[in-house]
Amino acid sequence: MRIEYLKIYSWMLQKFSKSSVAMVYALIYQHYEASLECAMSYEELAEELNITKMSTIRAVKELEQDGMIRVKRTFEKDGSNAINVYSIIQ
């Protein structure tokens, strides 16, 4: 199983422009695979991956622009960002 993960990670590093993009995609995919959606805030993604929130935002934007994920943004009553619900586009 570990070898398969390393093959997938190697493929992602070749496909995506930065390792942070590959890591964000892998984490979203991991959560998505378990429940067919991934609902996490930028802060939660960043914390779990030990990267900055700004790197997470840029990675999500790149993945969305490249057609790899779809993002449904949710907002608090005051208009601030809440969690995002991510779907993998297959």
Side-chain angles (χ1 to χ4, degrees), residues 44-68:
E44 290 170 323
L45 286 169
E47 184 177 321
E48 194 160 333
L49 294 170
N50 198 30
I51 61 176
T52 66
K53 179 181 172 184
M54 201 64 224
S55 291
T56 303
I57 292 169
R58 283 192 294 266
V60 167
K61 184 176 181 179
E62 184 174 327
L63 289 166
E64 192 174 22
Q65 288 175 340
D66 288 349
M68 301 295 292

Side-chain angles (χ1 to χ4, degrees), residues 14-51:
Q14 292 172 9
K15 176 148 184 67
F16 301 119
S17 64
K18 298 179 181 132
S19 62
S20 60
V21 178
M23 291 188 313
V24 168
Y25 183 79
L27 182 58
I28 289 171
Y29 189 87
Q30 177 185 356
H31 284 272
Y32 175 83
E33 190 174 46
S35 65
L36 297 182
E37 70 177 14
C38 173
M40 298 179 80
S41 67
Y42 291 126
E43 291 86 357
E44 290 170 323
L45 286 169
E47 184 177 321
E48 194 160 333
L49 294 170
N50 198 30
I51 61 176

Side-chain angles (χ1 to χ4, degrees), residues 1-18:
M1 184 69 166
R2 177 114 173 109
I3 292 172
E4 188 62 31
Y5 173 78
L6 291 174
K7 286 180 187 176
I8 292 168
Y9 188 70
S10 176
W11 169 81
M12 287 189 305
L13 287 176
Q14 292 172 9
K15 176 148 184 67
F16 301 119
S17 64
K18 298 179 181 132

